[in-house]
Amino acid sequence: MRIELIKRPQRSFVLGLLSPFIALALTMIAGAIMFSLLGKNPLTALYYYFIDPLRAVWQLHELAIKAAPLIFIGVGLAVSFRSNNWNIGAEGQFIAGAIAGSILPVLYPELEFWWVLPLMLVMGFAGGAAYGAIPAVLKARFNTNEILTSLMLVYVAQLFLDWIVRGPWRDPKGYNFPQTISFGDAATMPELMPMAGRANWGFALAILVAVVLWFVMERTLKGFEVKVLGQSPRAGRFAGFSSRRMVFFAFLLSGGLAGLAGINEVSGAIGRLQPVISPGYGFTAIIVAFLGRLNPVGVIFAALLLALTYLGGEAAQTSLQLSDKVVRAFQGILLFFVLACDTLILYRIRLVRTRGAAREVSDGHA
């Protein structure tokens, strides 16, 4: 008995809708098995992951804080992936944007004007876009594999951040801790509802960005160009679209939004630069993009779900004494099933049973 994949004549619309839900259900089953093997009650563990973080208003604010960077990065990666450009280095672009946007509050803390924060956001976007331009140039000019170059640049950004907060930007009054000075009021992202929780306007900005990119993808010529070049570069060339220009567009956009997420994070939730400013948002956003069907609106809901796993993972670590590695493994299982279930959209499963020289073939339609 063996399994064969037979390409469908057209994409399955039903499985296209059901695939994320099937992946989530399979993830919960696999997660329950994993927790059982670790000696934990699977129902209790899943409760801490998906129910406990939603019981209070302040927890919903924390959910919004975790979801905002995932939305920013996820919508950029969704556009990049749909254009067939594989930006895997959003984590590094996140850090680059955070550093670039922090120049004003760190080097010029005396600036207390209304335009400081908007300028920081622009600088954050520009920093992430500039860092994303590196793998774009290497791919467009030298045909370098963008997966490897963008991924390797993540480590460069992480080490540069570690050096800069321990060296030239370290707070001289910070008791030798590796961190910058705290950002002033003009450089801090304002909170949405200060009396209810810590969620800031970065979450609203992320939703706005997602809606705008959905409009671009569905209602403009640029969105059509992204889809055509992503599905068939040859057809795109016949239509007069440039694959090289699309490489730059995809990386500058996704890198810029990752950088915007970075400066939003340090000006809002953290309030300063420090050696670690991300629990892996840039990598988790890859799961978000695919779970959201590479659709900017779908990314919003996928980001909320993955943000819930972050909060749930923290609750599980505290209450069940689970390692943070288990949290990452759970997210990895989700990505595996998302990609596996997506296969059913384009292929159907055929079971082939061999008995001697004869074969009995039975088709299973998923």
Side-chain angles (χ1 to χ4, degrees):
M1 179 75 71
R2 72 174 186 271
I3 298 176
E4 292 183 352
L5 295 177
I6 308 299
K7 190 172 181 61
R8 298 180 186 272
Q10 60 184 11
R11 295 169 61 93
S12 173
F13 175 76
V14 174
L15 284 174
L17 295 176
L18 295 179
S19 175
F21 299 100
I22 297 173
L24 179 59
L26 292 174
T27 300
M28 294 182 71
I29 293 172
I33 295 173
M34 178 180 68
F35 295 133
S36 297
L37 294 175
L38 292 171
K40 309 297 181 181
N41 186 313
L43 294 179
T44 302
L46 292 175
Y47 169 82
Y48 279 114
Y49 260 93
F50 296 105
I51 305 298
D52 185 70
L54 302 176
R55 294 188 305 161
V57 174
W58 70 267
Q59 290 175 307
L60 298 179
H61 280 252
E62 296 300 315
L63 182 68
I65 290 174
K66 295 288 187 184
L70 294 176
I71 296 173
F72 277 124
I73 305 172
V75 294
L77 292 184
V79 174
S80 181
F81 294 162
R82 290 193 74 170
S83 70
N84 202 30
N85 290 287
W86 301 96
N87 181 7
I88 310 299
E91 183 79 0
Q93 294 142 24
F94 177 96
I95 295 171
I99 294 173
S102 298
I103 292 175
L104 286 180
V106 173
L107 300 184
Y108 305 97
E110 69 278 2
L111 294 177
E112 288 289 340
F113 304 101
W114 65 267
W115 47 262
V116 170
L117 182 60
L119 185 56
M120 287 169 57
L121 297 178
V122 172
M123 294 170 66
F125 184 95
Y131 207 64
I134 299 174
V137 169
L138 293 175
K139 179 180 181 179
R141 183 70 177 83
F142 303 104
N143 199 30
T144 307
N145 187 308
E146 73 272 26
I147 295 177
L148 294 178
T149 54
S150 61
L151 180 59
M152 293 300 101
L153 285 168
V154 172
Y155 303 103
V156 177
Q158 289 174 335
L159 291 172
F160 182 75
L161 173 64
D162 188 79
W163 169 76
I164 203 169
V165 297
R166 294 177 187 275
W169 283 12
R170 185 171 60 187
D171 182 4
K173 300 178 181 178
Y175 301 99
N176 214 32
F177 284 104
Q179 60 189 30
T180 66
I181 61 173
S182 297
F183 292 178
D185 292 339
T188 300
M189 185 67 69
E191 296 178 348
L192 277 169
M193 294 180 287
M195 301 301 294
R198 297 193 307 138
N200 56 59
W201 281 94
F203 179 71
L205 180 59
I207 299 294
L208 177 61
V209 167
V211 172
V212 169
L213 276 182
W214 172 85
F215 180 83
V216 169
M217 291 297 295
E218 300 298 328
R219 297 289 187 270
T220 68
L221 178 61
K222 195 64 181 182
F224 178 71
E225 181 182 350
V226 169
K227 295 175 185 177
V228 171
L229 286 173
Q231 294 175 2
S232 176
R234 187 168 180 266
R237 287 194 296 271
F238 279 118
F241 300 145
S242 170
S243 296
R244 178 171 292 189
R245 285 199 300 267
M246 182 53 64
V247 171
F248 283 98
F249 173 78
F251 273 91
L252 291 178
L253 177 66
S254 57
L257 289 177
L260 185 59
I263 188 56
N264 174 73
E265 184 72 5
V266 296
S267 68
I270 301 176
R272 62 166 65 91
L273 276 181
Q274 56 192 32
V276 178
I277 60 174
S278 167
Y281 288 133
F283 297 116
T284 305
I286 298 173
I287 307 176
V288 169
F290 281 104
L291 190 61
R293 319 298 309 131
L294 301 184
N295 182 303
V297 173
V299 164
I300 296 174
F301 298 100
L304 289 170
L305 175 62
L306 266 295
L308 184 61
T309 67
Y310 271 122
L311 295 179
E314 292 172 359
Q317 289 180 55
T318 303
S319 303
L320 301 177
Q321 287 75 52
L322 290 176
S323 166
D324 65 323
K325 304 299 187 296
V326 176
V327 177
R328 295 181 180 272
F330 192 72
Q331 292 176 340
I333 291 171
L334 177 58
L335 176 59
F336 171 80
F337 282 118
V338 167
L339 297 178
C341 291
D342 277 1
T343 303
L344 301 178
I345 300 173
L346 299 175
Y347 297 87
R348 62 184 178 87
I349 299 174
R350 186 171 75 170
L351 301 178
V352 179
R353 182 184 303 165
T354 304
R355 290 182 179 175
R359 289 184 175 179
E360 295 182 7
V361 179
S362 61
D363 287 343
H365 299 278

